Amino acid sequence: GTDADTGRYMSALANIETSRSQLKEAESLLRQALDLETRVVGPEHPDTLKVMNNLAVVSSDGGNPAEAEVIQRQLVEIDKRVLGAEHPETLGAQGNLANYISDQGRYAESEGLYRQILATQTRLFGPEHPDTLQTSDNLANALSELGRRTEAEKLLREILSVRLKKFGAHSTDTANTAYNLACMLALDNRKDEAFTYLRQSLEYGLPVKAGLAIGEDADLKSLHADPRFKPLVELGRQKAQAEQAKQ
């Protein structure tokens, strides 16, 4: 095939590597794919941008959010130029950039970016659109990290209420919001409420990665000594393994 076909092949291959958590190999393949796509179809072609996005994700998953941020800033600038500042893909790319900034502990900076994205999404798509809700969720996490838990809790409860009404209980997004609320309540030492939402998050269908990591989540530390905690960690592990077996 052509060089561009090779680039797409390497990108697909890197996705397989990532799913096996072999992140270093995936990163190497994606860098080769990015070089090929840039030369053959150009730096602003959708295929090139897809590879850039995947490379940022792999860098972040591999524990290098600073590198992910550098790649993502380039991607946002190209998206703004090619698609426009208010295109859903541009807003999504900005959201990922804010996530990588959060991952480096720069929560005040990410808060500003989340609020900017949220204002645009609310105006364009409405307050109950999935993209708007995801940004709200990320903003709540940044607020929690900044110690503004009352504000964050109010926002998470609003999001959870909308998710339950619009998408129902059996949704990974609903589960994620319930889990985030459980974490925040645990940080506030409100154990009974934290256990209620942690249990709900598992019933709603917490994603595999989060389900396997409950026992290691530092936000839930205040729950560790409670006899209710270990059975939920075990339940999370069982549900995650059952989900992995289906894939």
Side-chain angles (χ1 to χ4, degrees):
T2 64
D3 273 357
D5 288 337
T6 309
R8 275 192 286 277
Y9 166 73
M10 291 176 99
S11 190
L13 192 61
N15 285 335
I16 296 163
E17 298 286 357
T18 310
S19 70
R20 292 177 189 157
S21 301
Q22 294 168 328
L23 294 167
K24 278 288 164 212
E25 291 92 326
E27 188 179 339
S28 170
L29 284 167
L30 283 166
R31 286 194 185 281
Q32 292 172 54
L34 182 59
D35 181 53
L36 269 175
E37 297 284 14
T38 304
R39 277 189 293 109
V40 178
V41 294
E44 296 184 352
H45 190 279
D47 288 346
T48 309
L49 301 184
K50 217 169 278 177
V51 176
M52 279 180 84
N53 180 69
N54 289 346
L55 182 56
V57 170
V58 167
S59 296
S60 173
D61 286 351
N64 193 352
E67 176 62 22
E69 181 191 346
V70 170
I71 298 162
Q72 198 66 24
R73 280 192 188 280
Q74 294 170 4
L75 189 54
V76 168
E77 286 313 307
I78 294 170
D79 279 346
K80 279 182 179 174
R81 200 163 56 242
V82 176
L83 302 171
E86 296 191 343
H87 190 282
E89 271 187 45
T90 308
L91 295 170
Q94 283 184 301
N96 288 339
L97 174 59
N99 294 343
Y100 300 143
I101 291 168
S102 272
D103 290 345
Q104 295 172 77
R106 286 153 47 208
Y107 299 110
E109 192 180 337
S110 65
E111 181 202 348
L113 191 47
Y114 286 135
R115 287 194 186 281
Q116 186 187 320
I117 299 161
L118 191 57
T120 307
Q121 287 174 330
T122 304
R123 178 166 52 80
L124 293 177
F125 315 135
E128 297 188 348
H129 188 279
D131 292 355
T132 312
L133 293 172
Q134 186 56 58
T135 304
S136 298
D137 233 328
N138 292 336
L139 171 61
N141 286 337
L143 292 171
S144 176
E145 294 289 353
L146 287 165
R148 286 151 62 190
R149 291 203 194 120
T150 307
E151 211 179 327
E153 182 187 340
K154 181 174 179 286
L155 186 53
L156 280 174
R157 287 188 186 278
E158 286 169 6
I159 298 162
L160 186 58
S161 168
V162 173
R163 286 202 193 283
L164 284 167
K165 184 180 76 182
K166 287 207 69 160
F167 310 108
H170 298 290
S171 144
T172 53
D173 289 333
T174 306
N176 277 330
T177 303
Y179 184 80
N180 289 340
L181 190 50
C183 288
M184 197 161 15
L185 292 163
L187 287 167
D188 262 351
N189 217 27
R190 289 153 64 188
K191 293 180 188 175
D192 288 346
E193 284 179 279
F195 275 114
T196 298
Y197 286 106
L198 183 56
R199 196 172 295 109
Q200 278 182 13
S201 74
L202 288 166
E203 286 164 8
Y204 296 162
L206 203 58
V208 168
K209 197 174 169 184
L212 290 172
I214 292 170
E216 284 78 54
D217 193 330
D219 288 350
L220 300 172
K221 198 176 176 187
S222 68
L223 310 182
H224 286 192
D226 192 295
R228 292 173 287 182
F229 188 63
K230 271 192 179 156
L232 287 180
V233 172
E234 181 56 27
L235 181 61
R237 193 179 62 78
Q238 286 171 2
K239 281 180 173 282
Q241 286 175 340
E243 199 56 41
Q244 280 177 322
K246 283 187 212 166
Q247 289 169 6

